[in-house]
Amino acid sequence: MSDYLYLGLYRTFSFLLKVLPHSMEHSLMKFLGRFAYFVSKKHQKIINNNLDLAFDNRLTKEEKKDIGVSAFINLADTTFGIIKRDNMPKEQVLKNVTFENEEIIRKYQKEKRQFILVTGHYGNWELLSQAIAIHFKLTLVGVGRKLDSDVMDEVLKKNRERFNVEMVYKKGAMKGCIRAISQKKTIGILVDQHIGIDQSINVDFFNHKVTHTPIASILSRKFGIDLIPAFISTNDYEHYVVKIYEPIKSLKTENQEADLEAMTIAQAKAMEKVIKENPRQWFWMHKRWKDFYNEKLYTNL
């Protein structure tokens, strides 16, 4: 029953986004973001606690509110974008997207060298994957969690595949990634999610310990493939900038543990640097520091 409720909502918003003027669409998105922030007291607390930890209690109440509201607006923008791009021509996807430092990826392509993209829940991350796949004419394989709704998971799968973006689910992700690499496809990994401590490499993130997925580092070391950080941002929810950063070089010495740790730390630092440049773009409602600061941040919400 819930599957068809989600599908009904999807189709309703699909219709609205087709008929609403651009200005009203923006207004609706911002209203939903603000509404979600003020209604969900639990997520307000998570956001405020995360910000206090990350910025050492230096932010004012108003600054935290602004960042929190923006986090929800970004989520609405990402969701609206998925719906709007259903049946959209590829060239239309890139209409308002510009690229910085694209020569970094072009160089790898010219030399016929594979690379792994690392990114996070920053800006409109769904647009990022599709824009990169289209712009650089590659097949991007992402690692993600299957949606609870089978119907909506299939809708999203078809939406992504139209733009050369495929998915492997977390269960069996390593085999799926190895297969994709053997097929000369490009792996893309969101590296800013909480992961179980038994599966992680622990790193410092905003000077506090967190778990971090090791999959990009493992694949990099195993296949000698460099990691390229890439993130997307916007100032007006109409024009978007994809910024590509200097590669994190693959390491393979006799000390496997040190190699994996060094590459994973580099990913966390790249993510932290981008967030500090514009905290309003990141997904602050996530329990990022769960394993080491759960009692301090996430109990009694």
Side-chain angles (χ1 to χ4, degrees), residues 10 82 85-90 93 126-127 129-134 137-142 152-169 179 183 185:
Y10 181 90
I82 292 169
R85 288 190 297 277
D86 207 354
N87 298 318
M88 182 183 286
K90 288 183 178 181
V93 174
E126 284 285 342
L127 175 58
S129 60
Q130 295 173 2
I132 285 180
I134 296 168
K137 296 180 174 60
L138 52 82
T139 298
L140 187 64
V141 179
M152 290 312 303
D153 192 74
E154 185 63 23
V155 169
L156 187 56
K157 179 175 178 286
K158 289 180 179 178
N159 182 298
R160 287 166 168 161
E161 289 178 350
R162 289 186 57 252
F163 304 113
N164 303 332
V165 177
E166 301 174 1
M167 291 297 295
V168 294
Y169 295 124
R179 182 170 58 252
Q183 295 169 342
K185 297 176 180 178

Side-chain angles (χ1 to χ4, degrees), residues 192-203:
D192 60 342
Q193 293 176 295
H194 167 265
I195 185 172
I197 197 167
D198 59 323
Q199 301 172 302
S200 81
I201 291 177
N202 302 330
V203 300

Side-chain angles (χ1 to χ4, degrees), residues 218-264:
I218 292 170
L219 292 169
S220 175
R221 189 179 187 277
K222 180 177 178 66
F223 294 101
I225 300 174
D226 294 342
L227 310 173
I228 299 181
F231 300 91
I232 191 168
S233 60
T234 182
N235 291 321
D236 58 8
Y237 298 101
E238 183 176 357
H239 303 91
Y240 298 84
V241 178
V242 172
K243 188 171 182 179
I244 297 155
Y245 291 78
E246 287 298 318
I248 298 167
K249 297 295 185 179
S250 177
L251 294 175
K252 191 168 187 178
T253 69
E254 293 180 356
N255 192 331
Q256 175 179 307
E257 184 176 344
D259 293 345
L260 296 177
E261 182 179 41
M263 287 188 284
T264 306

Side-chain angles (χ1 to χ4, degrees), residues 41-204:
K41 299 300 181 183
K42 175 181 176 180
H43 286 101
Q44 271 191 51
K45 290 178 181 178
I46 292 172
I47 290 166
N48 288 338
N49 290 346
N50 282 342
L51 288 167
D52 284 341
L53 186 79
F55 292 98
D56 297 321
N57 296 294
R58 294 193 306 269
L59 299 180
T60 66
K61 184 178 179 180
E62 284 303 310
E63 286 173 327
K64 288 187 285 186
K65 174 184 169 184
D66 177 62
I67 292 170
V69 169
S70 296
F72 277 104
I73 294 174
N74 286 333
L75 180 59
D77 181 48
T78 300
T79 305
F80 277 19
I82 292 169
I83 297 170
K84 286 168 59 181
R85 288 190 297 277
D86 207 354
N87 298 318
M88 182 183 286
K90 288 183 178 181
E91 59 274 11
Q92 187 72 14
V93 174
L94 297 178
K95 183 178 179 182
N96 294 322
V97 181
T98 56
F99 291 79
E100 291 186 12
N101 305 325
E102 66 176 279
E103 68 276 2
I104 292 173
I105 288 180
R106 298 289 186 200
K107 185 174 186 291
Y108 276 79
Q109 290 184 311
K110 184 178 180 180
E111 296 172 357
K112 299 188 185 310
R113 295 170 60 197
Q114 287 183 276
F115 55 89
I116 295 170
L117 285 169
V118 291
T119 188
H121 293 84
Y122 185 88
N124 193 323
W125 62 87
E126 284 285 342
L127 175 58
L128 172 71
S129 60
Q130 295 173 2
I132 285 180
I134 296 168
H135 187 67
F136 293 103
K137 296 180 174 60
L138 52 82
T139 298
L140 187 64
V141 179
V143 178
R145 185 180 72 85
K146 187 178 185 297
L147 297 182
D148 295 332
S149 167
D150 291 337
V151 171
M152 290 312 303
D153 192 74
E154 185 63 23
V155 169
L156 187 56
K157 179 175 178 286
K158 289 180 179 178
N159 182 298
R160 287 166 168 161
E161 289 178 350
R162 289 186 57 252
F163 304 113
N164 303 332
V165 177
E166 301 174 1
M167 291 297 295
V168 294
Y169 295 124
K170 286 184 178 180
K171 186 176 181 180
M174 185 61 73
K175 287 183 179 179
C177 287
I178 291 172
R179 182 170 58 252
I181 289 171
S182 71
Q183 295 169 342
K184 304 301 181 184
K185 297 176 180 178
T186 301
I187 304 297
I189 299 174
L190 294 158
V191 299
D192 60 342
Q193 293 176 295
H194 167 265
I195 185 172
I197 197 167
D198 59 323
Q199 301 172 302
S200 81
I201 291 177
N202 302 330
V203 300
D204 280 344

